Amino acid sequence: MSKHPVIEWIDRRFPFTAFVKHELTEYKVPRNLSYWWNFGFLAGFVLLLQIVSGVFLAMHYKPDAKLAFDSIEHIMREVNYGWLLRYLHSTGASAFFAVIYIHMARTLYYGSFRAPREIMWWTGQVLLLSLMATAFMGYLLPWGQMSYWGAQVITNLFGATPIIGGDVVVWLRGDFVVGDATINRFFVLHFFFPFLICGIVLVHLVALHFVRSSNPSGINLRAEENISLHPYFTFKDLFGLGVFLIIFCAFVFFSPDFFIEPDNNIPANPLQTPPHIVPEWYFLPFYAILRAIPDMLGGVVAMTLSVMVFAAMPYLDRSKIPGGSRYRPLYRAMFGVFVLDIALLTYVGAQPATDEMTIIGRIATTIYFSMFMLLPIMSKKEEAWLFVRGLPQEVMAMIAEEKDDDRRRREKDRRKNERRREQE
Amino acid sequence: MKKIEILFTLMIAPLSVWASGGEVPLMQVDLAHDAGTRKQGAEVVLTVCTGCHNLKYIKYRDLQAVGFSQQEIDDLRGAAEMTAPIMSLSPPDMLKDTYGVVPPDLSLIAKARAGKGRYVYTLFNNFYMRADGNVDNHLFPGIRMPDVLGVAAMGEGPDKKAFQESMKKVASFLEWASDPNAEERESLGFYVLIYLIIFTLMLGVMKRRIWADVH
Amino acid sequence: MSDDDKVKDPQRRDFLGKATAVVGGAGAAAACWPLVSSMNPATDVLSKATTEVDIGSISKGEAKTIAWQGKPVFIVHRTEDQIRAMNESPGGKDPQPDGQRVIKPEWLVIVGICTHLGCVPNRSATGWSCPCHGSQYDLSGRILKGPAPRNLELPPYQFVTDNKIIIGKA
């Protein structure tokens, strides 16, 4: 097929066709990827949705303590389709976390974070942190009671910093309480962070297209078991997007207040705290961990650690058996316990801090961290047990192959070193 | 330890002024959602409630959407512009002196309470006479709002029935006022979902056909 | 088996592909409409498209400037002498009889934006003169001298009562 003259003109100046070939039509993807592998694409879509709806909202929003609440009502009532923009954006925030959490759970379950995909996992970790920061700052902008007191409490957490804690909190807010200076800077940063996120997403994708997708089996597929991204996975992803949009739009159009606390329809009042402050659902597990520790600094450290500890996963999982749960019953069981534990923490985080809730929260927090701490020992023990019990041939072949690769690499290094010594 | 206490107080401070409605279950009530009902509710709100409460996100022109005629709106607004928000005639300072608080704005009140219109309806049904002769509210103990409609002394009977009917209309109007685009949203949502279902089915068939040579 | 045949029929697959592309494209285009529409004037801006003015307080020979859609509108209560003078004059480079520029001869209602480059003319002894480039208008808002190409614009308006006009609605 001959190329279109316009395409040809471009190709002499920009690698358009080569790019499409390399990244789409000839980019090879394991054919056995399940629908769990759709969520990265969905996350990209929701990012785009948030940026577009956010840009149009920003044309009407006013980041001023006196005007913010009214400007949201102006958007909701007077701006053409303003209610749609706002509900897309507020529902989109929840959708973003739902999609990202499933994406992370898939990565953990199938062991996709393991070598050579550490950089993908870590850029993903940075993306999660950026997303959390963006969501937190965006939540202040409607300037309702929950917005205000959420920001007040979370900025207070930085007061746990030793020695300079108090100054840090005031610095973050630009005021002694969350005030006009705070909403202004949160708006600017809420607008700016997505630029960072887009940049990190690019790194995440470059890494992906270099190391390529993992797959449910965890073992490397033979070349003929890979198929091109387009049209196979583009259409699979688009179909998944259709299903996602049906669920998403059902919320946006028929239950948009599901993710908005009633109290946030009351303008912020710095002199009165609502009786029951709850963070957004996506922060509940971490909030429960914060409350489980009976010391402010300890709580903040535990909460930070509960998010950051994921970064250590490539080193905590020491098993030689490739992949995640496919061939590893013990790892699978631990994953199951971990997911149930997070569900429990979510529940505890939403409840008022009664005595029983505190105890349940502490137990769940202990389970949460012990899963990570046990993993190095458990993965080794599991490995030994599975070697004795026997593993499918392809798994053993892959372990042997990696050993070979290792030996070859060491051999090469040794020879290189020898040559250098001779030259000297 | 001191800091953590402050922090926790901030998080869970139980302030009775904020009625959460935890103890009294909200009453089950079916609210009609037609312009006629809303208009009757609006008439009560505009003659009774706006004596003290603002309705600041609703403008006089918005009343056309619940079926007020131009003449009726002109009678209501007096010298105020069509585009003016509906505000209480009582000065807020005077209200604060009388009741200790500025009465909350009503245009978002339904959305600002779990249960929306049901909360409003339940609140009005829960005024009662305390032993000391003062009026209080089961749903919102210590409420500053006086029992303007005399519910506590009403007893059961035809008066109460008429009152409840009227309150349903008020609740219906306040739900509309807190979310005036709900109908447009739901009707648009219906078409969006139909479209998405058809398009997703088409994509599903496409995907199956493209994948047919893989399996 | 028959299902397989369908799949292998490239024409059918092609038709479905085109149909899906059309439906998807139409949906994406429709999804852009709310975004475009949100940039148009909001309903509170549109509702200010008309302005009611009480003109009873303007005595003979006096003028008042009010804002209509954010633009200045001059309302002048003209005296008999002024009306006569305007009736006799044909206007300047954009001639128009005074009778076509008013509903009631004693009331002149014009948009106070110079037709040259949009400055607001100042009252002068004989009408208005623009501070930016010196265009001169008479008491009918007609251009007499200067760079402005046309007479001052007339807003649509009507008399609700003798003392009240509504601007923005003819």
Side-chain angles (χ1 to χ4, degrees):
Chain A
M1 211 167 72
S2 68
K3 278 198 278 184
H4 191 278
V6 174
I7 303 283
E8 205 157 333
W9 187 92
I10 293 170
D11 273 340
R12 278 198 298 274
R13 290 154 179 87
F14 181 86
F16 175 75
T17 306
F19 181 84
V20 169
K21 262 192 192 167
H22 190 258
E23 311 304 335
L24 279 172
T25 52
E26 282 172 19
Y27 173 70
K28 293 296 179 196
V29 181
R31 61 188 249 181
N32 62 341
L33 295 192
S34 63
Y35 277 103
W36 294 114
W37 264 260
N38 268 31
F39 286 85
F41 171 76
L42 287 182
F45 175 82
V46 181
L47 174 62
L48 184 74
L49 178 78
Q50 291 301 82
I51 289 175
V52 171
S53 57
V55 163
F56 282 87
L57 282 172
M59 293 181 193
H60 302 282
Y61 174 73
K62 296 186 172 69
D64 178 306
K66 285 204 182 64
L67 305 175
F69 192 89
D70 285 350
S71 78
I72 297 279
E73 281 311 307
H74 179 254
I75 289 169
M76 292 294 286
R77 291 160 191 267
E78 314 280 358
V79 173
N80 304 313
Y81 293 103
W83 56 267
L84 179 57
L85 294 175
R86 200 253 177 141
Y87 282 145
L88 282 174
H89 203 70
S90 64
T91 314
S94 279
F96 213 154
F97 278 96
V99 165
I100 287 292
Y101 285 163
I102 295 174
H103 189 57
M104 282 178 73
R106 190 272 293 157
T107 310
L108 287 171
Y109 183 83
Y110 290 107
S112 311
F113 55 85
R114 301 180 65 186
R117 296 188 179 82
E118 295 96 323
I119 291 195
M120 287 193 66
W121 181 240
W122 291 330
T123 48
Q125 170 95 54
V126 178
L127 282 171
L128 174 67
L129 291 173
S130 318
L131 176 64
M132 285 175 156
T134 311
F136 161 66
M137 291 185 294
Y139 195 58
L140 177 68
L141 303 184
W143 204 246
Q145 274 288 64
M146 278 295 163
S147 300
Y148 183 85
W149 292 99
Q152 190 84 339
V153 167
I154 302 295
T155 46
N156 257 335
L157 293 180
F158 290 88
T161 319
I163 306 164
I164 53 164
D167 297 333
V168 170
V169 173
V170 172
W171 177 78
L172 280 173
R173 294 174 179 160
D175 199 339
F176 303 104
V177 290
V178 170
D180 195 53
T182 324
I183 192 172
N184 217 150
R185 63 186 59 183
F186 273 32
F187 174 66
V188 171
L189 293 173
H190 181 72
F191 205 106
F192 171 69
F193 264 50
F195 288 96
L196 288 183
I197 290 178
C198 287
I200 306 162
V201 165
L202 203 65
V203 180
H204 198 65
L205 286 179
V206 169
L208 170 67
H209 281 228
F210 184 65
V211 297
R212 309 220 153 151
S213 288
S214 63
N215 72 79
S217 75
I219 51 181
N220 297 334
L221 300 186
R222 283 168 286 133
E224 64 268 30
E225 284 173 312
N226 290 301
I227 50 180
S228 59
L229 179 66
H230 180 77
Y232 297 104
F233 283 98
T234 42
F235 274 92
K236 193 167 180 171
D237 283 346
L238 281 176
F239 174 64
L241 175 65
V243 175
F244 166 82
L245 281 177
I246 290 172
I247 300 166
F248 179 72
C249 287
F251 275 111
V252 168
F253 288 99
F254 295 99
S255 198
D257 289 322
F258 185 81
F259 297 108
I260 299 174
E261 282 289 324
D263 271 339
N264 227 24
N265 290 301
I266 303 169
N269 180 354
L271 303 179
Q272 199 160 51
T273 314
H276 184 43
I277 296 195
V278 267
E280 294 292 90
W281 67 269
Y282 39 81
F283 289 139
L284 288 173
F286 310 108
Y287 185 62
I289 289 173
L290 168 78
R291 289 202 305 195
I293 314 290
D295 168 76
M296 186 165 169
L297 181 57
V300 175
V301 168
M303 185 175 72
T304 313
L305 213 59
S306 67
V307 185
M308 296 307 297
V309 67
F310 288 103
M313 277 303 285
Y315 298 108
L316 295 178
D317 186 355
R318 295 168 65 222
S319 180
K320 277 205 187 72
I321 300 163
S325 298
R326 177 75 168 81
Y327 299 106
R328 299 167 59 190
L330 198 57
Y331 183 84
R332 186 159 58 224
M334 285 175 80
F335 175 85
V337 172
F338 187 65
V339 169
L340 288 178
D341 189 54
I342 286 182
L344 183 61
L345 282 168
T346 306
Y347 171 75
V348 172
Q351 301 305 311
T354 57
D355 286 349
E356 303 105 81
M357 276 306 146
T358 310
I359 292 168
I360 299 173
R362 284 181 188 159
I363 295 170
T365 302
T366 313
I367 297 173
Y368 184 97
F369 285 109
S370 57
M371 284 299 118
F372 289 98
M373 288 190 286
L374 287 175
L375 188 58
I377 309 156
M378 296 294 252
S379 57
K380 269 294 164 202
K381 285 248 186 306
E382 180 192 47
E383 179 193 295
W385 167 56
L386 288 176
F387 276 144
V388 174
R389 202 183 70 159
L391 280 158
Q393 189 141 29
E394 61 265 31
V395 179
M396 295 309 288
M398 188 169 156
I399 298 170
E401 211 174 278
E402 267 172 22
K403 236 184 236 160
D404 276 359
D405 278 357
D406 260 13
R407 201 182 308 126
R408 264 197 297 273
R409 211 175 302 131
R410 267 197 300 267
E411 187 72 9
K412 224 167 111 188
D413 283 353
R414 198 174 54 81
R415 273 203 297 265
K416 214 193 275 169
N417 284 341
E418 272 172 14
R419 263 204 305 275
R420 199 183 302 150
R421 229 169 288 143
E422 278 165 24
Q423 278 168 359
E424 283 167 10
Chain B
M1 236 15 239
K2 185 86 185 143
K3 270 187 186 164
I4 191 98
E5 265 174 36
I6 295 168
L7 188 63
F8 271 52
T9 326
L10 283 179
M11 287 167 179
I12 52 167
L15 281 169
S16 59
V17 194
W18 293 81
S20 62
E23 286 84 48
V24 181
L26 296 186
M27 294 164 82
Q28 286 300 333
V29 59
D30 284 326
L31 300 177
H33 289 290
D34 57 285
T37 308
R38 283 176 190 150
K39 190 183 169 197
Q40 290 173 16
E43 278 160 359
V44 177
V45 171
L46 293 172
T47 48
V48 182
C49 311
T50 51
C52 298
H53 294 272
N54 290 338
L55 204 63
K56 67 171 174 178
Y57 297 120
I58 300 293
K59 289 156 183 138
Y60 284 103
R61 65 179 155 86
D62 295 330
L63 293 175
Q64 288 169 329
V66 285
F68 280 81
S69 69
Q70 186 63 49
Q71 188 56 51
E72 287 170 313
I73 296 175
D74 288 344
D75 293 345
L76 276 167
R77 70 190 171 114
E81 294 260 352
M82 278 296 275
T83 52
I86 299 177
M87 303 296 264
S88 157
L89 295 176
S90 319
D93 289 345
M94 191 201 83
L95 291 167
K96 188 154 187 178
D97 286 346
T98 315
Y99 301 111
V101 286
V102 179
D105 184 88
L106 291 187
S107 37
L108 265 174
I109 205 83
K111 250 182 157 179
R113 300 288 183 273
K116 298 190 178 174
R118 280 173 58 213
Y119 179 93
V120 175
Y121 182 74
T122 310
L123 182 78
F124 273 100
N125 274 284
N126 268 286
F127 280 104
Y128 70 102
M129 199 73 81
R130 275 203 319 239
D132 62 7
N134 288 324
V135 169
D136 204 349
N137 194 294
H138 290 298
L139 183 64
F140 190 157
I143 192 168
R144 311 281 174 85
M145 181 170 74
D147 180 14
V148 274
L149 297 161
V151 190
M154 204 172 269
E156 300 299 319
D159 278 0
K160 179 98 177 201
K161 269 264 156 330
F163 156 78
Q164 284 182 327
E165 280 311 306
S166 154
M167 277 308 116
K168 276 186 204 168
K169 290 166 185 164
V170 167
S172 165
F173 171 71
L174 289 177
E175 273 196 4
W176 171 83
S178 74
D179 192 6
N181 291 311
E183 265 149 44
E184 185 196 355
R185 189 182 73 229
E186 283 175 13
S187 70
L188 180 62
F190 175 75
Y191 293 109
V192 169
L193 282 191
I194 298 265
Y195 166 80
L196 281 174
I197 288 167
I198 293 171
F199 184 51
T200 305
L201 285 176
M202 290 176 84
L203 283 171
V205 176
M206 279 294 285
K207 187 252 162 192
R208 273 178 73 118
R209 293 204 177 167
I210 288 167
W211 279 70
D213 55 352
V214 174
H215 294 296
Chain C
M1 273 317 279
S2 63
D3 211 41
D4 264 7
D5 291 344
K6 267 187 233 160
V7 171
K8 285 189 182 112
D9 180 354
Q11 248 179 342
R12 274 195 71 112
R13 182 160 143 178
D14 205 37
F15 171 74
L16 183 70
K18 277 182 185 148
T20 311
V22 168
V23 172
C32 290
W33 172 243
L35 302 178
V36 174
S37 175
S38 75
M39 291 176 68
N40 268 322
T43 50
D44 60 332
V45 177
L46 288 179
S47 70
K48 296 197 173 99
T50 62
T51 305
E52 289 174 4
V53 189
D54 181 14
I55 53 175
S57 60
I58 309 172
S59 50
K60 260 200 168 101
E62 275 190 8
K64 189 178 179 182
T65 305
I66 58 107
W68 166 67
Q69 292 183 350
K71 296 178 271 192
V73 170
F74 300 149
I75 303 169
V76 190
H77 196 171
R78 300 191 295 189
T79 61
E80 275 74 32
D81 288 349
Q82 289 168 333
I83 296 169
R84 206 175 316 114
M86 285 306 112
N87 268 329
E88 283 161 7
S89 155
K93 72 170 89 156
D94 184 11
Q96 190 181 21
D98 183 63
Q100 287 181 16
R101 295 181 57 80
V102 289
I103 295 175
K104 294 183 182 176
E106 63 268 37
W107 291 106
L108 175 69
V109 182
I110 48 172
V111 177
I113 293 177
C114 182
T115 53
H116 178 218
L117 289 171
C119 297
V120 180
N122 294 327
R123 228 18 238 288
S124 68
T126 54
W128 289 272
S129 89
C130 183
C132 292
H133 305 96
S135 295
Q136 306 240 334
Y137 299 92
D138 68 6
L139 263 175
S140 187
R142 291 173 296 196
I143 177 69
L144 297 176
K145 269 205 291 206
R150 286 183 317 278
N151 301 334
L152 291 178
E153 263 178 54
L154 305 168
Y157 69 98
Q158 63 184 18
F159 283 84
V160 185
T161 63
D162 277 350
N163 285 331
K164 199 174 183 185
I165 58 168
I166 181 161
I167 304 175
K169 205 155 74 176

